[in-house]
Structures are given as C-alpha cells and as structure tokens.
Amino acid sequence: MSEKNTFDETPKETLINDDIELSAELNPDIYFKDNSEDFKENQFVTMKSEGAISGFYDWIRCILFAISIVVICLTFIFRLVDVDGTSMESTLESNDKVIVTNLFYTPKDGDIIVISHGAEYAKPIIKRVIATEGQTIKLDYENDRIIVDGVVLDEPYIKDSTFEGNYGDYEIPEVVPEGKVFVMGDNRRVSLDSRRTEIGLIDVDNVIGKAQFVAFPFNDFGYLY
C-alpha cells in the first residue's frame, strides 16, 4: 500500500521533462530542423568535390602503373628488334621485326640470338648459336659441314652451302671457352660471324636475348623454331 502511494506522488512535470529529454536523445534533429537542408546541401557539395579529385588521382595512378609495366616488360621480358642485312636469309629477311626475350636466358645450340657487338664490330647483330662453352667444334670445309661434339649438325635452315668460300680469318679453338658462344648466320656465303676476326667468339654478357617470333611483316608472323 505504501508503494502505491509513493508512485502516485511523483510530480507530473518531472515525467514530462524526462520524456522530452529522452525524445531529444533519440531524435537530435529537432535541434537542427531549421538548418537541415543547408547542412545536407553543403555536405553533398563537399563530397562531390572530393570525388572528382579522387577520380583524377586514380587515373594518374593507373597511367603510371601501365607505364611501369611497359618499361619492365621492355627491359626484362621482351624487345622488338629490326633485322638489318641478309646474313640470316632465308630464316629472316632484312627489315623483319622480331620479338626478343631475355628473362633468365642462357644461350643454347640452335637459338637465334641478338648480340650487342662482336670483338671488333660495334653494331648489334643477329646470328644462330652453333656451339656453347665446353663444346668441341670443327668446320669441315672439305665436306661442307659442321661437327659439334663429334656429331654432324643437321641444318635444314641454312641457305645454299655451308661455306661456299666464306672461310673467314679467325683461328677457331677446338673447344669453345667458358662464357663464350660460337655463332653463324643461316646465309653462310655472306655472313659476317664467328669465322671472322671482326666478330669472333661472342661473350655471353653481350647477348641481348633470344629471337622468338617474327612480328612484322604480318604475313610472316610466326614462331621461329
């Protein structure tokens, strides 16, 4: 009975004030009713401006990323090289464009490689690897053939004869030294290659990479092996 009397004696103003405070906490917009539209408009303009700037920087980042990928590819993965001259006919013609790869590349027999320069020749050249370090090599002029590690090479890619008088003036060692490769052109009659002192044995550090595809002209596009 005493509890009921205590409840009834609670002032009504206090209950009303409590309700107002509670409502204010749940819905604070009642304090900003007059300025709500201005607040929303200002907020919208600010977000729109920041979005435009952010989009611009996103484009810049995408462009820089694309340029970086191209630079990395051209430096470490592939290059486009022009063929100059007739020493690789009929495999490659003058003015052909070839795709050259050089990532983790080590020259191997039969590879077509691009070389930065020869012993006394400053221009880049493109030739075929005939023998690599540690292999024995013999140019059999009498029988018009090349022998590597005691085996006569089968070379269906060469044009005409293996030599036809182009014997060269370079003293070729019986065994290819460490870090060197012996190269020749597929058009052996006119090729300036490891048979000549201007080119000599090629240092593997001077090998730019391996020619993989003919990229141009388009009618000759294809894999070289």
Side-chain angles (χ1 to χ4, degrees):
M1 190 68 179
S2 59
E3 293 177 358
K4 184 176 180 181
N5 291 336
T6 303
F7 177 79
D8 291 339
E9 292 176 358
T10 303
K12 291 184 178 181
E13 286 187 7
T14 303
L15 292 175
I16 293 173
N17 290 337
D18 288 344
D19 288 342
I20 293 174
E21 291 175 3
L22 182 60
S23 299
E25 292 175 2
L26 292 177
N27 187 16
D29 288 345
I30 62 174
Y31 296 113
F32 305 96
K33 184 174 181 180
D34 293 338
N35 299 323
S36 59
E37 294 301 325
D38 293 338
F39 174 77
K40 291 178 180 178
E41 183 177 354
N42 292 336
Q43 186 182 40
F44 176 77
V45 172
T46 303
M47 291 177 64
K48 183 176 180 180
S49 176
E50 290 179 353
I53 295 174
S54 177
F56 173 76
Y57 283 119
D58 285 342
W59 274 105
I60 294 296
R61 282 195 293 266
C62 288
I63 292 171
L64 292 177
F65 179 75
I67 293 174
S68 300
I69 292 298
V70 171
V71 170
I72 290 172
C73 288
L74 292 177
T75 304
F76 300 105
I77 301 178
F78 66 85
R79 297 184 183 187
L80 195 64
V81 175
D82 292 331
V83 177
D84 182 16
T86 60
S87 71
M88 282 300 293
E89 291 181 351
S90 298
T91 306
L92 294 170
E93 306 287 340
S94 187
N95 297 320
D96 281 354
K97 294 184 184 296
V98 296
I99 296 174
V100 177
T101 59
N102 60 355
L103 185 64
F104 307 124
Y105 174 65
T106 301
K108 296 180 177 59
D109 296 354
D111 288 355
I112 299 172
I113 60 174
V114 177
I115 304 154
S116 61
H117 64 278
E120 303 174 15
Y121 197 76
K123 292 174 61 178
I125 54 177
I126 183 166
K127 304 293 177 184
R128 189 181 296 271
V129 177
I130 303 301
T132 59
E133 64 175 58
Q135 291 186 304
T136 61
I137 182 169
K138 179 182 179 181
L139 305 186
D140 186 356
Y141 299 113
E142 183 177 350
N143 297 299
D144 200 39
R145 61 186 186 174
I146 299 175
I147 302 171
V148 175
D149 288 340
V151 178
V152 177
L153 295 184
D154 179 22
E155 300 183 287
Y157 43 75
I158 67 171
K159 183 177 182 179
D160 303 322
S161 167
T162 298
F163 302 110
E164 284 196 17
N166 186 6
Y167 303 133
D169 59 353
Y170 182 73
E171 186 176 347
I172 302 169
E174 183 179 350
V175 179
V176 179
E178 182 179 357
K180 303 288 186 178
V181 293
F182 183 90
V183 300
M184 299 178 76
D186 288 355
N187 188 3
R188 301 281 165 80
R189 293 181 305 162
V190 302
S191 176
L192 181 66
D193 49 41
S194 289
R195 293 172 289 178
R196 302 292 298 271
T197 54
E198 294 97 320
I199 304 299
L201 294 174
I202 300 298
D203 194 316
V204 293
D205 290 337
N206 295 330
V207 175
I208 294 173
K210 176 182 177 181
Q212 299 280 8
F213 293 90
V214 176
F216 184 85
F218 297 121
N219 58 315
D220 291 332
F221 180 85
Y223 189 52
L224 286 168
Y225 305 95

